[in-house]
């Protein structure tokens, strides 16, 4: 159990390295994005109760994994997309361009997303593995299937997975 506690997320290490690189290269846009992301990660890791009684900034981030960071990156991406929409409506194309640059930087920290077909194949495998049939309740089994699915949330966002599971369980096709 100690090995998992001392393991540091490779993505977190990459982010910290990129702060240094952005400082060296005087890349203010990238520096702002990465610092904001690290701030969000630190905040999220502090909000989770830790087992140690005296948390420090290094011990807080040691237990965080890439799987914990991906939803934080996705939230930042969502905020940037909303900002792009708002700035476009206001006619502020200069701010839209900055937001798009920041969005590209954030997208680089996520793994290649799974297609809906790949997610659907995994869902069908789980449904077959669980031995579910149409007569077992259909959509009522959604929670069981979601719990059994073990997909990387960085590659397969939960909202898309949930929609695919719902479609698979409510379709008239056989599992």
């Amino acid at each position: 159990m100690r090995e998992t506690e001392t393991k540091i997320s490779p993505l977190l290490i990459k982010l910290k390295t990129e702060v240094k690189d952005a400082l060296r290269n005087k890349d203010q846009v990238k520096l702002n994005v990465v610092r904001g992301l690290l701030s969000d990660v630190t905040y999220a890791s502090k909000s989770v109760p830790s087992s140690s009684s005296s948390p420090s900034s290094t011990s807080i981030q040691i237990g965080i994994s890439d799987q914990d960071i991906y939803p934080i990156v996705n939230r930042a991406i969502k905020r940037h997309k909303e900002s792009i929409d708002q700035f476009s409506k206001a006619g502020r194309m200069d701010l839209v361009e900055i937001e798009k640059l920041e969005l590209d930087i954030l997208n680089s920290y996520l793994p290649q997303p799974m297609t809906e077909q790949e997610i659907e194949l995994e869902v069908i495998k789980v449904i077959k593995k669980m031995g579910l049939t149409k007569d077992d309740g259909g959509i009522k089994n959604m929670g069981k299937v979601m719990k059994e699915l073990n997909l990387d949330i960085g590659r397969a966002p939960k909202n898309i997975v949930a929609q695919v599971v719902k479609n698979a369980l409510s379709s008239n096709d056989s599992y």
Side-chain angles (χ1 to χ4, degrees):
M1 187 168 170
R2 287 196 182 256
E3 285 181 20
T4 58
E5 290 177 357
T6 58
K7 190 170 184 174
I8 299 176
S9 160
L11 182 54
L12 187 61
I13 293 169
K14 179 180 179 181
L15 289 171
K16 289 182 178 190
T17 303
E18 293 208 1
V19 166
K20 294 174 192 171
D21 292 343
L23 282 168
R24 280 189 208 110
N25 299 330
K26 297 180 179 19
D27 185 351
Q28 195 62 44
V29 174
K30 188 166 195 168
L31 182 64
N32 290 341
V33 170
V34 177
R35 277 186 174 166
L37 201 51
L38 283 172
S39 174
D40 291 346
V41 169
T42 302
Y43 179 77
S45 67
K46 285 182 180 179
S47 66
V48 175
S50 64
S51 59
S52 64
S53 58
S54 60
S56 67
S57 63
T58 54
S59 68
I60 288 170
Q61 294 180 350
I62 287 176
I64 199 161
S65 69
D66 286 356
Q67 300 304 315
D68 299 326
I69 297 174
Y70 292 144
I72 296 168
V73 175
N74 280 325
R75 281 193 298 271
I77 288 172
K78 183 179 177 185
R79 285 193 308 263
H80 279 72
K81 286 180 179 178
E82 289 170 355
S83 295
I84 289 170
D85 185 46
Q86 293 297 319
F87 290 145
S88 294
K89 287 179 182 175
R92 294 292 310 265
M93 299 317 285
D94 55 329
L95 296 176
V96 168
E97 291 304 315
I98 293 170
E99 289 290 327
K100 285 182 179 180
L101 288 172
E102 292 177 354
L103 187 61
D104 290 340
I105 293 168
L106 286 169
N107 280 322
S108 72
Y109 297 120
L110 291 177
Q112 184 67 28
M114 291 175 74
T115 64
E116 281 195 40
Q117 290 79 18
E118 292 172 324
I119 295 171
E120 188 173 4
L121 288 173
E122 292 297 318
V123 167
I124 291 170
K125 283 182 196 175
V126 168
I127 290 172
K128 287 182 179 180
K129 178 181 157 190
M130 293 175 70
L132 296 176
T133 64
K134 293 285 181 191
D135 300 329
D136 290 337
I139 199 75
K140 293 180 183 177
N141 292 316
M142 186 168 174
K144 293 177 188 176
V145 174
M146 290 292 291
K147 189 174 182 180
E148 189 70 24
L149 273 170
N150 196 14
L151 298 177
D152 179 5
I153 58 174
R155 294 192 61 216
K158 283 189 178 184
N159 60 340
I160 294 173
V161 173
Q163 187 61 44
V164 170
V165 170
K166 187 176 180 180
N167 290 344
L169 290 173
S170 63
S171 72
N172 292 329
D173 300 336
S174 63
Y175 298 140

